[in-house]
Amino acid sequence: QVQLVESGGGLVQAGGSLRLSCAASGRSFSTYAMGWFRQAPGKEREFVAAIQWSDLNTYYLESLKGRFTISRDNAKNTVYLQMNSLKPEDTAVYYCAADPSISVIVRNRDGIDYWGTGTLVTVSS
């Protein structure tokens, strides 16, 4: 029902910024909570940020607060992740996710309904 395609990744110098986009298809996009995860080489995926469909409340990995901002444009079926002050440890494949429940995204990754295929972010030192 929902297909997600990430874009915007690339190579950036430490301290720089990138804006990732997640384009979604599906008539019910506006009713889905959306989130971003990332997976660094040799590590498990970790939660990055999420945004609610109803009130646009946002949630973040605590260590990323102040640097990363998630937003969505329901009219464009697109979710964004603005990443500022990037650090080498931010290097990872970033994945977009969608689920009717934001709690599933924030707390239970295994239950998430939809995933994108990822976009690579490489932060050089």
Side-chain angles (χ1 to χ4, degrees):
Q1 290 184 320
V2 177
Q3 293 182 329
L4 307 174
V5 180
E6 303 95 335
S7 63
L11 176 65
V12 64
Q13 188 176 357
S17 299
L18 284 175
R19 190 190 192 193
L20 306 183
S21 298
C22 174
S25 62
R27 299 196 310 273
S28 299
F29 170 79
S30 63
T31 67
Y32 279 79
M34 304 294 297
W36 288 94
F37 291 78
R38 66 185 183 182
Q39 186 171 25
K43 300 180 66 176
E44 294 292 317
R45 283 178 179 166
E46 67 175 346
F47 169 77
V48 173
I51 185 166
Q52 183 62 283
W53 61 265
S54 58
D55 56 10
L56 301 184
N57 282 352
T58 56
Y59 304 82
Y60 295 93
L61 179 65
E62 187 67 26
S63 62
L64 299 179
K65 287 184 177 180
R67 294 198 299 119
F68 286 19
T69 303
I70 188 171
S71 62
R72 69 188 295 166
D73 186 337
N74 289 340
K76 297 181 179 179
N77 285 2
T78 302
V79 178
Y80 305 97
L81 183 68
Q82 179 67 45
M83 305 184 295
N84 299 324
S85 301
L86 284 164
K87 305 174 181 179
E89 51 263 43
D90 295 320
T91 295
V93 177
Y94 284 73
Y95 297 91
C96 181
D99 196 275
S101 172
I102 195 164
S103 65
V104 169
I105 293 177
V106 174
R107 299 188 62 190
N108 185 17
R109 192 181 74 201
D110 291 342
I112 294 172
D113 284 353
Y114 303 103
W115 291 92
T117 56
T119 185
L120 176 63
V121 172
T122 303
V123 184
S124 65
S125 60

